[in-house]
Amino acid sequence: MTPTWSRLLTKLRRALKGHVYLVGGPARDLYIDRRTKDLDFLIEGADRDYAHVIHALKDIFPPAHESFKDHAAFRTMTWETRDATRIDCARPRDETYAQPGCLPKVSAAALVADDLKRRDFTVNAFAFGVGRPVAGRWIDPFAGRRDLGRRCLRLLHDDSFRDDPTRMLRGLRLATRLRLEMDARTQACFDEAKRGDFLVTVSRQRRYREFLLALAEDEWIHILRVFNENGLFTELLPALTGGLQDALAQKTRRLDATGRLFALYLSTFADTSAKLSVLPWGDKGIHAGLADIEALVSRRWRATRLPQASLMQALYAVRPEWWKRFSSRAPFFITGSYLKLLTKDPATRGRLQTKLVVAVLDGEVTDRRSAVTFLKRQIAQTDKTEHCIIE
């Protein structure tokens, strides 16, 4: 066990009383000794026990400003710490699906073993005790640890993909990340879900959330290739597959999911007619960044604007010459005051700004001197054209 896990478990054991468990992905990561920034806790007991554990966990992992959320309908509480560790606390629950693809109806369950029955894959369906008196105890009713050792991805239920088709995407991510192979039964269920187009029963916003989760993976390039090979995200793939190169993975290794989406779009926009900004991403920052990319690559950028931080990071990764320009005090070399000296007409100034942006992004204008020369030439051509029209 790594020192990081050892220190964390010691801290939890000393601070927590009651039947408190790490579950799901964090329990799996603990078992394989893999670092994680997500910690999912399952807490048995009465309301008072739950409140005491939440209070103790807040002391260990202080919530960042306004990050604490109480999802009462799902019997969970979540928050993020200042170092971006995500804490998810839940009470044992059962789930039923009124129809395929919808969010589940949640009801209370008594024990952690009952909660594990509702999960997707065996490798996500075991728990590890972290609170006194259950510290150090594994609960693994479906042999998930054995499946990890066998490199096997196995469904808990035959209807799992029908109930929640996003599990298809989650399964491919898990299989890629952990080098797992679906067993015959799971593969048959997956193939049936593909033939039945189960994913159309899920809202596009939920699907795109899974797409962003794929982008957050270390091997995101490979995962998107697997999505494409399986005919998933046809409105996004294969249009973006031209950018799925190993070199891009290297350039974007320090970017978050949003930055990688922007970098991929910057790399492929000229080769696709898809307008990603109109899709329901459910995040205003993503919509704005994608629209900015469309404006940049289509040469419709306004000289007075600056890209948002995530887009700047993507530019640094894949279009460093543009990043350098936007990082300077005067990205397009000329101020609005200087343009007013050249012409008093606002419409003319607007046209000059647009032409100057295109010239800078295309490399025709590279410094203030060439920018001044370019603008004066444009004005002279405009004056000549107007003179010809008057005559």
Side-chain angles (χ1 to χ4, degrees), residues 236-299:
L236 298 174
L237 307 170
L240 297 176
T241 53
L244 298 180
Q245 306 297 324
D246 292 338
L248 182 62
Q250 180 68 17
K251 291 176 181 178
T252 60
R253 66 187 185 281
R254 297 184 183 275
L255 300 188
D256 62 10
T258 300
R260 288 171 176 174
L261 174 63
F262 292 166
L264 179 59
Y265 199 29
L266 278 165
S267 301
T268 58
F269 180 80
D271 300 323
T272 176
S273 59
K275 295 293 180 67
L276 301 195
S277 65
V278 303
L279 300 177
W281 294 95
D283 184 299
K284 291 181 180 179
I286 291 178
H287 283 283
L290 293 172
D292 282 352
I293 291 171
E294 291 161 7
L296 269 172
V297 180
S298 300
R299 305 300 194 266

Side-chain angles (χ1 to χ4, degrees), residues 153 169-181 217-224 226-227:
L153 186 68
L169 307 173
R170 206 171 309 140
L172 293 177
R173 285 197 290 113
L174 268 176
T176 302
R177 184 199 312 157
L178 302 178
R179 304 292 191 270
L180 306 178
E181 292 286 341
E217 298 273 356
D218 290 341
E219 297 191 44
W220 66 276
I221 292 281
H222 182 54
I223 293 172
L224 294 193
V226 172
F227 284 173

Side-chain angles (χ1 to χ4, degrees), residues 121 155-162 168 182-196 198:
F121 304 100
L155 277 176
L156 261 66
H157 312 287
D158 287 349
D159 288 333
S160 192
F161 292 141
R162 185 182 301 274
M168 299 169 63
M182 294 183 187
D183 72 346
R185 170 172 151 268
T186 301
Q187 186 66 58
C189 291
F190 184 87
D191 293 340
E192 179 190 6
K194 279 203 305 181
R195 289 193 300 269
F198 287 4

Side-chain angles (χ1 to χ4, degrees), residues 38-254:
D38 294 326
L39 294 174
D40 296 351
F41 295 96
L42 195 62
I43 304 159
E44 291 180 346
D47 293 347
R48 184 176 62 179
D49 302 319
Y50 185 64
H52 284 166
V53 172
I54 294 295
H55 181 77
L57 286 172
K58 282 184 177 180
D59 285 341
I60 301 171
F61 308 103
H65 182 60
E66 295 185 350
S67 70
F68 186 85
K69 296 179 181 178
D70 185 350
H71 310 275
F74 296 97
R75 295 170 59 85
T76 65
M77 293 184 181
T78 62
W79 68 88
E80 287 191 5
T81 65
R82 290 181 179 178
D83 69 350
T85 299
R86 187 177 185 278
I87 308 299
D88 189 315
C89 300
R91 306 179 74 173
R93 63 189 191 268
D94 191 14
E95 294 177 347
T96 55
Y97 293 83
Q99 59 188 26
C102 70
L103 292 173
K105 181 180 179 181
V106 173
S107 58
L111 302 174
V112 61
D114 299 321
D115 186 277
L116 295 176
K117 295 176 184 177
R118 68 177 178 81
R119 296 177 181 265
D120 46 14
F121 304 100
T122 61
V123 295
N124 286 335
F126 55 88
F128 180 78
V130 294
R132 303 187 307 275
V134 297
R137 182 186 305 172
W138 289 100
I139 298 180
D140 187 6
F142 304 104
R145 290 175 296 167
R146 183 196 66 187
D147 284 345
L148 277 173
R150 295 165 50 198
R151 300 287 183 185
C152 175
L153 186 68
R154 182 163 59 93
L155 277 176
L156 261 66
H157 312 287
D158 287 349
D159 288 333
S160 192
F161 292 141
R162 185 182 301 274
D163 289 340
D164 183 359
T166 62
R167 290 168 173 167
M168 299 169 63
L169 307 173
R170 206 171 309 140
L172 293 177
R173 285 197 290 113
L174 268 176
T176 302
R177 184 199 312 157
L178 302 178
R179 304 292 191 270
L180 306 178
E181 292 286 341
M182 294 183 187
D183 72 346
R185 170 172 151 268
T186 301
Q187 186 66 58
C189 291
F190 184 87
D191 293 340
E192 179 190 6
K194 279 203 305 181
R195 289 193 300 269
D197 210 7
F198 287 4
L199 270 170
V200 299
T201 65
V202 178
S203 69
R204 287 207 291 178
Q205 189 167 323
R206 285 183 63 200
R207 279 184 274 153
Y208 295 158
R209 192 178 304 128
E210 292 291 331
F211 191 82
L212 290 171
L213 287 173
L215 287 166
E217 298 273 356
D218 290 341
E219 297 191 44
W220 66 276
I221 292 281
H222 182 54
I223 293 172
L224 294 193
R225 288 172 181 161
V226 172
F227 284 173
N228 186 52
E229 290 166 2
N230 282 277
L232 306 174
F233 292 106
T234 53
E235 71 275 34
L236 298 174
L237 307 170
L240 297 176
T241 53
L244 298 180
Q245 306 297 324
D246 292 338
L248 182 62
Q250 180 68 17
K251 291 176 181 178
T252 60
R253 66 187 185 281
R254 297 184 183 275

Side-chain angles (χ1 to χ4, degrees), residues 354-375:
T354 299
K355 291 180 178 180
L356 178 60
V357 168
V358 172
V360 170
L361 295 180
D362 287 345
E364 180 183 351
V365 170
T366 57
D367 54 27
R368 178 177 172 80
R369 185 174 181 177
S370 60
V372 170
T373 301
F374 174 83
L375 289 172

Side-chain angles (χ1 to χ4, degrees), residues 8 11 30 64-65 81 153 156 234 294 306 310 312 315 324 348 382:
L8 176 61
K11 185 185 295 186
L30 168 62
H65 182 60
T81 65
L153 186 68
L156 261 66
T234 53
E294 291 161 7
L306 289 175
S310 292
M312 284 292 286
L315 288 171
K324 186 176 180 180
T348 301
T382 300

